Amino acid sequence: GSGPPLLLQCAVPSSPAMRLAPGFVTDSCGSDAFSVRFSPDGAFLAASGAQGRVSIFNVSTGQEAYRLNIDEAEKHPVKQLCWRPEREDATLRTRGVLAGASTDGKVRQWHVTSRRLLQTFGDPQDTGQLFCLDYAPDGRRLATAGLTGELFVFDEETKALTSRLKGGDSLTTAGHCSRVMALRFLQVLGNSDLIVSGGWDNTVQFWDVRAGSAVRAIFGPHICGDALDITADGKVLLTGSWREEEQLELWDFGSGKRLETLPWRSPGSLQEPACSLYCARFSRDASSSLIVAGGSLPNAGKGEAKVFAREAEGAPPKQAGGVVASSGPHCAGSLLSFTCLSADVSPGDGSRVAFGGSDGRIRMMCLESSAAGGPEERASVPIQPETGNKGYPVGA
């Protein structure tokens, strides 16, 4: 159905290298779009929400191409999605596999193009409610966590529970003492034993599957959604906190020391309300050159999302969205007037960014050179949702 226009706030003149441009806005996939994930080839965008529905959108057209999880008798919120990593020599039959973590304590795995539910696994008596999941870089393991504060690691081939991670090393950390809202495998091939997780207890825990427990921790980040990520080289950790200051932080993965706090507001705009973050994620290029994040404002139903460009340490400027980013982190644009619950960047050149809102709509944006249309002033551009998932053509 139609809804109020969404506001895109363009990049400020001081950061002219790239800007956000309107793509399309979908119909609601049910209240609260908890998770959005681009497929490994970037052709599809998966979205899940509070009503248990999983929608797969064609990135080029904005239309819903497939709908999953429609045969379940009881619909439980699907809190997070993750595509299974694909080898270059993978057959069509083994491509396009999507997993989802649900609040009924189960993981469901679908083959998207055939709409088949392949497997349901996890024992709710052990797992409780599940809020997050991630695949190891080689795709042979899947980890999930949620209400209990424990991590559950499953074998991808057999779906057997192979590790149950809980507690700490009794020296530096005691593990989690509350719900886990985000987790990530270290995405470095050849190492599928290291996992990080964060949640309500104001800690980020570092787990070693071989030890069966957390081995160290960072104290401070208050993570309330999909707001934890690691750079492609495994050196930098990103956290997004649901609080009004020091929300977006970068940490050294090896030492756990904080490297930088990225200001959400530019200087001179401190009078604007603070944004508490539900999501934060790196782009998937080799230098992890973009950060996408979003959340809510103090006023009910209000929030925003932003895209930041960053530089890898010691690296020359990298291309993202077909544009060479300028030095230093800067905001490429902000999307206003919605509570942002989830975000992702397309693989490859990172030319598309997707945001999921509390209204169940998915907003697809394009990253392009701001030189294409001349320097942009700070302005709000309305994007009117369409009906029938027609959306807007990307780049319109």
Side-chain angles (χ1 to χ4, degrees):
S2 61
L6 305 164
L7 295 180
L8 165 67
Q9 186 165 291
C10 301
V12 297
S14 61
S15 54
M18 61 179 72
R19 68 175 182 183
L20 276 179
F24 60 79
V25 183
T26 70
D27 273 346
S28 176
C29 62
S31 63
D32 294 330
F34 288 132
S35 185
V36 290
R37 284 290 185 273
F38 285 97
S39 61
D41 63 2
F44 296 106
L45 179 74
S48 66
Q51 296 179 359
R53 176 172 138 192
V54 177
S55 295
I56 312 296
F57 297 97
N58 183 308
V59 169
S60 297
T61 66
Q63 293 183 351
E64 185 179 33
Y66 307 99
R67 187 177 293 185
L68 311 175
N69 209 36
I70 57 177
D71 297 326
E72 294 290 316
E74 295 183 20
K75 297 295 178 66
H76 297 273
V78 178
K79 294 287 285 185
Q80 198 168 98
L81 299 170
C82 187
W83 295 84
R84 187 173 69 186
E86 297 173 357
R87 299 195 307 267
E88 290 185 5
D89 60 350
T91 63
L92 283 176
R93 189 174 61 85
T94 61
R95 290 181 183 271
V97 174
L98 181 71
S102 299
T103 58
D104 63 351
K106 296 179 181 180
V107 176
R108 289 171 177 82
Q109 192 181 65
W110 301 274
H111 182 253
V112 169
T113 55
S114 66
R115 300 181 177 87
R116 286 179 54 220
L117 175 64
L118 300 177
Q119 296 275 357
T120 300
F121 52 98
D123 184 349
Q125 290 188 334
D126 293 329
T127 58
Q129 297 180 10
L130 294 178
F131 302 143
C132 52
L133 80 167
D134 195 28
Y135 271 104
D138 59 9
R140 295 178 180 177
R141 287 173 168 171
L142 183 148
T144 185
L147 188 64
T148 68
E150 302 174 46
L151 272 61
F152 304 89
V153 182
F154 294 90
D155 179 85
E156 166 59 21
E157 184 175 353
T158 66
K159 304 301 186 290
L161 178 64
T162 57
S163 300
R164 186 170 178 173
L165 311 180
K166 58 182 177 179
D169 60 1
S170 73
L171 296 174
T172 59
T173 180
H176 283 298
C177 63
S178 187
R179 59 183 63 194
V180 178
M181 303 302 294
L183 65 81
R184 290 282 186 275
F185 273 96
L186 180 66
Q187 293 294 318
V188 177
L189 284 173
N191 189 337
S192 60
D193 291 316
L194 298 182
I195 307 172
V196 293
S197 63
W200 282 13
D201 62 3
N202 300 323
T203 73
V204 173
Q205 301 289 334
F206 293 73
W207 306 83
D208 190 322
V209 176
R210 297 161 296 189
S213 65
V215 293
R216 58 190 176 96
I218 290 172
F219 299 92
H222 183 63
I223 294 176
C224 293
D226 184 23
L228 180 70
D229 208 358
I230 310 170
T231 52
D233 61 10
K235 294 181 179 179
V236 178
L237 181 75
L238 169 69
T239 59
S241 292
W242 198 82
R243 61 190 181 205
E244 295 187 357
E245 57 185 17
E246 297 187 339
Q247 305 98 315
L248 204 56
E249 298 170 292
L250 297 174
W251 310 77
D252 180 81
F253 186 90
S255 67
K257 293 182 179 179
R258 189 168 71 173
L259 300 172
E260 187 177 5
T261 298
L262 299 182
W264 189 257
R265 305 285 182 208
S266 59
S269 61
L270 298 178
Q271 72 278 8
E272 298 182 42
C275 183
S276 300
L277 301 184
Y278 284 119
C279 59
R281 191 161 171 84
F282 284 118
S283 57
R284 283 177 273 174
D285 56 302
S287 58
S288 305
S289 57
L290 299 175
I291 294 172
V292 292
S296 64
L297 299 175
N299 296 328
K302 298 292 186 181
E304 59 189 2
K306 289 180 181 285
V307 178
F308 296 89
R310 61 181 291 269
E311 290 296 331
E313 184 178 355
K318 299 290 185 180
Q319 281 201 342
V323 182
V324 177
S326 59
S327 59
H330 65 272
C331 180
S334 304
L335 195 59
L336 308 178
S337 299
F338 81 112
T339 298
C340 181
L341 301 179
S342 53
D344 198 20
V345 183
S346 62
D349 64 359
S351 60
R352 293 182 174 94
V353 183
F355 300 103
S358 60
D359 58 359
R361 297 181 186 276
I362 314 303
R363 296 131 174 96
M364 179 82 74
M365 310 301 296
C366 303
L367 266 176
E368 60 183 33
S369 171
S370 60
E376 284 294 316
E377 297 297 328
R378 199 173 185 87
S380 294
V381 180
I383 311 169
Q384 180 68 45
E386 290 207 2
T387 58
N389 287 319
K390 293 178 182 178
Y392 283 85
V394 173

